[in-house]
Amino acid sequence: MLTLILAGLRHRAAALLAIVVAAGLGSALIVMCGAMFETGIRLTAPPDRISSADLAVIGDPSYTMLGRDGEQTTDRRPFPERHRLSASAANEADGIDGIERIVPVRFHQAFAQPPDRSLPITAQNWASIAVSGISPTPAKGPGTGEVVLTAAAAKALAVAEREDLLLTMDGQTLSVRAAAVVGNRDDPATLFLSDEAGGSRDPVDALGVVQAQAADISAVRAALHTELGEVRVLAGDGRGAAEDPEVSAARLPAIVVGAVTGGIVLTVLATVISGIVALSVRQRSREISLLRATGATGRQARTLVVGEVTAAGLLGALLGLIPGIPLAHVLHLGMQTGGALPPGLELSAGPIPLAIAASVTALVVWLAAVLAARSARRSRPLDALREAELPAARIGMMRWLPGILFGLGAAALGVLTALMPPALVSATAGPAVLAGTISAALLAPGLLRLAVAMLRPVLGGRGLAGLAWSSLSSR
């Protein structure tokens, strides 16, 4: 049987190439969707402004929806703005074992206006420079009416030490003087405020935690949760969520895009593969009947077809892993450009999406081949003596009715998608594509007859056009 399968792969390269291409595209798209799903799970965002902190503590960025009776549900949604900590949070956590230092961090979005330009810039309280990773730092911080700029901020604003600029922040415009320039040009463009201007009594955006040597980071995280209550403790490359609240809010869009698109890809892949296998079995009906006439059983005939398709599908699934990661980067960049993902969120594409794409694609191809090759098992040896022709494909009511319903549903969802605001488009766009795909698969023979009738005046002549017309009509 293995010899026959390998021979079939050699002599039916054209038909099996379609399966390789379909499986390869499906595998690449599943890698792309899996990478987006993993991105939403991991939320990898390396910190820029608090890189020296071993841990970052922020308020829980999501809340739990309540049911009609006031009970908590499993539906968690992100806050529309940053969930801050109380001003006393640093003092409350100061006595935890394993913590060397806790630094309150406050971020302010400001507009700096040097004499000839106006640029947005991030301002921080002076105390947060201890966890910013900037070195060396001056011993004295900015005084009243003064600020300290990083080298990147000074270059962007074209401001030198002892020069004045206007700063608009929190609804007020102030005239401040650049007391010093610190760091180098690789540091983020930051403007450090005095403790008074930075809001020393205001709620805290984050806590930068410096861990003591030989301390257990897991124990420190558990103690912070116990002491501070509903907070999120970030470590490693997840600390960037403390700088940009949009990182935490990006979890749901990334997961939804990966899951919905992956489901559509699997549905389309199964439809395409089953159609290719069914057509191949119909075209090889006389050949399969000859095998039955020479003593092959129906199970062997079915195994032959399934083996050929599975081998081609497995090859395509492995080849599709190569363009999968570049496609994921393209989708990730497009979502960042469109504002669906924040700029600081990095793409996470580990070995898990690759393994899932290869195994799931191969499994879908095998299942589609098994279901579509059932007719090979029912072939009779007597059919080998008949003329090699394809019986006309008919659509029964069990296909007409669902096909029409899915088509109408796809049209309705498409109209709704065009009329809905951009924030809600994803709720109907995916189901519209899925419903249209199912409708096209169910009504494929009827759509093919309609296409043949429409192309009759163009392809019904002589020469190559007539040959193409004859081939299309027979199939």
Side-chain angles (χ1 to χ4, degrees):
M1 185 59 66
L2 180 59
T3 303
L4 291 177
I5 292 175
L6 295 178
L9 293 175
R10 291 196 306 268
H11 296 290
R12 298 177 186 84
L16 295 176
L17 180 61
I19 298 176
V20 173
V21 173
L25 290 176
S27 177
L29 293 176
I30 292 175
V31 171
M32 178 188 72
C33 298
M36 291 307 303
F37 197 93
E38 185 178 0
T39 299
I41 294 295
R42 297 186 181 276
L43 292 182
T44 301
D48 290 328
R49 306 180 187 278
I50 55 171
S51 57
S52 293
D54 299 312
L55 298 173
V57 183
I58 60 174
D60 193 343
S62 58
Y63 63 94
T64 302
M65 294 290 292
L66 300 179
R68 294 182 178 180
D69 299 332
E71 74 280 1
Q72 290 188 346
T73 64
T74 57
D75 185 8
R76 294 185 60 83
R77 301 185 182 183
F79 283 106
E81 57 187 14
R82 187 190 293 272
H83 185 194
R84 291 178 169 85
L85 302 171
S86 64
S88 60
N91 295 329
E92 294 174 4
D94 193 26
I96 296 177
D97 293 336
I99 294 180
E100 180 179 328
R101 187 178 184 183
I102 294 183
V103 178
V105 181
R106 296 177 177 89
F107 298 104
H108 302 271
Q109 298 304 317
F111 273 90
Q113 302 174 30
D116 59 344
R117 66 182 67 188
S118 177
L119 295 175
I121 192 169
T122 299
Q124 295 179 218
N125 58 317
W126 173 248
S128 64
I129 198 172
V131 293
S132 65
I134 297 175
S135 63
T137 57
K140 182 181 178 182
T144 303
E146 294 181 335
V147 296
V148 173
L149 303 175
T150 61
K155 180 182 178 181
L157 299 174
V159 174
E161 291 186 12
R162 315 312 301 174
E163 291 186 356
D164 296 335
L165 70 155
L166 293 178
L167 184 66
T168 301
M169 183 182 68
D170 298 334
Q172 298 180 350
T173 300
L174 306 173
S175 178
V176 296
R177 173 165 294 184
V181 176
V182 297
N184 52 61
R185 295 183 179 181
D186 294 332
D187 296 320
T190 308
L191 184 150
F192 289 97
L193 306 168
S194 63
D195 290 335
E196 179 182 357
S200 58
R201 298 182 180 180
D202 295 338
V204 179
D205 293 327
L207 294 177
V209 179
V210 179
Q211 180 182 336
Q213 292 184 354
D216 185 3
I217 190 170
S218 300
V220 173
R221 296 183 68 171
L224 287 170
H225 278 290
T226 303
E227 187 68 31
L228 300 178
E230 294 184 358
V231 297
R232 180 169 295 180
V233 182
L234 308 172
D237 288 339
R239 293 169 294 167
E243 302 174 358
D244 187 358
E246 293 184 1
V247 172
S248 299
R251 183 186 300 274
L252 184 60
I255 291 178
V256 168
V257 168
V260 173
T261 308
I264 295 175
V265 168
L266 290 177
T267 303
V268 174
L269 177 62
T271 303
V272 171
I273 295 298
S274 60
I276 294 175
V277 176
L279 178 61
S280 176
V281 172
R282 285 168 60 84
Q283 292 177 334
R284 297 170 56 188
S285 59
R286 191 162 185 257
E287 174 188 342
I288 295 174
S289 298
L290 285 173
L291 288 175
R292 295 295 309 278
T294 56
T297 63
R299 183 176 181 179
Q300 289 175 330
R302 182 182 178 182
T303 302
L304 175 64
V305 175
V306 173
E308 293 178 359
V309 175
T310 302
L314 182 59
L315 176 61
L318 295 178
L319 293 177
L321 301 180
I322 300 175
I325 300 299
L327 283 177
H329 281 282
V330 171
L331 177 60
H332 180 259
L333 180 60
M335 294 183 68
Q336 286 184 328
T337 303
L341 297 179
L345 182 63
E346 294 186 351
L347 178 69
S348 298
I352 296 179
L354 299 176
I356 291 177
S359 57
V360 170
T361 302
L363 179 61
V364 169
V365 170
W366 179 79
L367 288 176
V370 169
L371 295 177
R374 289 177 297 176
S375 59
R377 187 171 185 174
R378 296 193 300 265
S379 61
R380 299 174 300 175
L382 183 61
D383 294 337
L385 304 177
R386 298 179 179 177
E387 183 180 358
E389 61 180 4
L390 296 177
R394 301 182 181 275
I395 303 180
M397 287 300 298
M398 295 301 294
R399 292 185 62 176
W400 269 116
L401 185 59
I404 293 175
L405 292 178
F406 274 107
L408 294 176
L413 290 173
V415 173
L416 289 176
T417 301
L419 299 177
M420 293 181 70
L424 302 177
V425 164
S426 60
T428 56
V433 174
L434 185 59
T437 302
I438 296 175
S439 175
L442 293 173
L443 303 179
L447 296 176
L448 181 59
R449 294 194 192 99
L450 178 62
V452 169
M454 294 176 62
L455 294 176
R456 185 187 300 272
V458 180
L459 300 179
R462 297 180 179 178
L464 293 177
L467 181 61
W469 164 255
S470 301
S471 177
L472 181 62
S473 300
S474 64
R475 285 161 174 78

